[in-house]
Amino acid sequence: MHPYVAVPATVALVWRAYSHNSLTPAGLVVAALTAFVHAIHPWSVFFALLVVFFLAGTAVTKVKHDVKARLTLSSSGSSGGESQRTHIQVLANSVVASALILLHYRQLLTRDKSGDASQACWPYGTDLLVIGIISNYAAVAADTFSSELGILSKSHPRLLTSWDFRHVPPGTNGGITLWGTLAGFLGASIIALTSVLLLPFCPVGLTSRTGKLFGDNQPGLEGGSGWGLLEKAAWILAVSVWGGLGSLLDSALGGWFQASVIDARSGKVIEGNGGKKVPLTSTHTKQKGNSSRRVESGISFLDNNAVNVIMAFTMSVGGMLVAAYVWDLPLITTWN
């Protein structure tokens, strides 16, 4: 991005998070650094995806916030609902994409010795790193939409990782509903549509990365390197489906490896502050010598932040592997 766009856009993004009390002080610092990494890439699409994810995620978090707050409890003993996000939570959703963006930026500069990488277009069937970056945001957006909207479903969630698909309380890790699953695919679709509008696809008729005209280049699905309407439609579908699957993977990981702790008196799920693990014994119950908390599902191996990072990494790398197979690309091309 051009500095005169990147700088004010980054400042505006951080200021909005600060003014809406969305992030902790450390979270604001990490968000600013993350925005900087996205902004230095010559393509504007990745910064736009970060902004869209932040704004859309914030919007769905606020949907019926008072209702959601009554469905769960905080590990501190108060009602549930999303509090300020920490720097760890910011990194959990963006660190994989940030690393891939830096690698792709280096890749573009290596190819284009003139340094004007912003003029490069993206030929069909190339650049697996782009697949990884988009996959990251499709998956984390799907997970956010699924979690924030799925908990409002009128039907009780069922535990994805249980043999009998049993009912569990709202907010249980690994619990899914049809409404939440559809919401996840909606979140991924928003990322897919944003990317198809802003990615510098090489159009049919252009074959070089710099956009130089070489004649009648064929669409990618016909053996060429151009992106026609059919290729872009397939891209939207693929990104939407892959992101939605990322939400289901997050549910599976959470259901297996993240303990869902229930308050036995109210039957509500207890949420860990900042995505951390929930202790089975609170400070209050320690003083009384008993505990009203029990594990509903999962083992206490990972916290929510670790689950998010693993899911994002898996979907990013998995997306690149699938694209490499479909496009018949050697993985070594990822670094060239």
Side-chain angles (χ1 to χ4, degrees):
M1 291 177 65
H2 292 289
Y4 62 79
V5 176
V7 173
T10 300
V11 171
L13 186 66
V14 175
W15 173 255
R16 189 187 188 284
Y18 170 75
S19 62
H20 286 70
N21 208 30
S22 302
L23 301 174
T24 63
L28 289 171
V29 173
V30 172
L33 293 174
T34 300
F36 173 76
V37 169
H38 285 62
I40 62 174
H41 194 284
W43 295 359
S44 62
V45 59
F46 302 134
F47 185 85
L49 290 177
L50 176 66
V51 174
V52 168
F53 169 67
F54 173 72
L55 295 179
T58 301
V60 295
T61 298
K62 293 182 178 180
V63 172
K64 295 188 176 180
H65 183 270
D66 56 333
V67 176
K68 290 186 285 189
R70 294 194 296 269
L71 294 174
T72 60
L73 297 174
S74 169
S75 58
S76 62
S78 60
S79 61
E82 191 64 53
S83 57
Q84 284 183 309
R85 292 186 180 270
T86 67
H87 61 292
I88 300 298
Q89 289 174 296
V90 174
L91 288 172
N93 286 308
S94 62
V95 67
V96 175
S98 296
L100 295 179
I101 285 170
L102 291 175
L103 288 173
H104 189 249
Y105 183 29
R106 174 184 172 277
Q107 192 177 71
L108 289 182
L109 293 179
T110 301
R111 290 176 187 156
D112 190 355
K113 301 301 182 181
S114 69
D116 190 13
S118 62
Q119 299 302 313
C121 68
W122 182 30
Y124 182 87
T126 64
D127 282 4
L128 296 178
L129 290 174
V130 176
I131 303 295
I133 297 165
I134 305 298
S135 295
N136 176 97
Y137 279 111
V140 297
D143 178 48
T144 300
F145 272 61
S146 180
S147 299
E148 295 295 339
L149 298 180
I151 197 173
L152 296 172
S153 175
K154 293 183 179 180
S155 61
H156 279 287
R158 291 181 176 271
L159 187 60
L160 178 64
T161 54
S162 65
W163 67 271
D164 57 352
F165 215 46
R166 62 184 173 87
H167 288 293
V168 288
T172 301
N173 299 309
I176 63 171
T177 62
L178 176 60
W179 171 248
T181 301
L182 293 176
F185 282 100
L186 172 62
S189 298
I190 291 174
I191 296 298
L193 291 171
T194 302
S195 67
V196 84
L197 290 173
L198 296 176
L199 275 169
F201 295 111
C202 287
V204 175
L206 300 177
T207 57
S208 77
R209 294 182 184 276
T210 57
K212 186 176 179 181
L213 186 62
F214 279 91
D216 186 19
N217 182 44
Q218 295 297 311
L221 294 176
E222 297 178 15
S225 59
W227 289 81
L229 290 177
L230 189 58
E231 287 76 15
K232 291 179 180 179
W235 169 263
I236 293 173
L237 178 62
V239 172
S240 300
V241 171
W242 190 250
L245 292 177
S247 174
L248 293 176
L249 173 61
D250 189 272
S251 295
L253 291 172
W256 280 319
F257 303 117
Q258 186 181 354
S260 291
V261 179
I262 302 292
D263 177 67
R265 291 167 298 189
S266 64
K268 295 180 179 180
V269 171
I270 302 173
E271 297 180 327
N273 292 330
K276 296 179 181 179
K277 295 180 181 179
V278 178
L280 279 176
T281 306
S282 66
T283 303
H284 177 69
T285 54
K286 277 182 181 179
Q287 296 173 351
K288 286 194 168 186
N290 63 343
S291 176
S292 63
R293 298 182 177 186
R294 62 177 177 81
V295 175
E296 172 70 22
S297 63
I299 60 174
S300 187
F301 181 64
L302 301 173
D303 64 11
N304 190 62
N305 298 319
V307 168
N308 287 343
V309 171
I310 293 172
M311 183 275 290
F313 177 81
T314 302
M315 297 309 294
S316 291
V317 174
M320 292 191 292
L321 291 175
V322 171
Y325 175 79
V326 172
W327 288 343
D328 195 23
L329 282 177
L331 290 178
I332 191 64
T333 61
T334 303
W335 318 111
N336 297 331

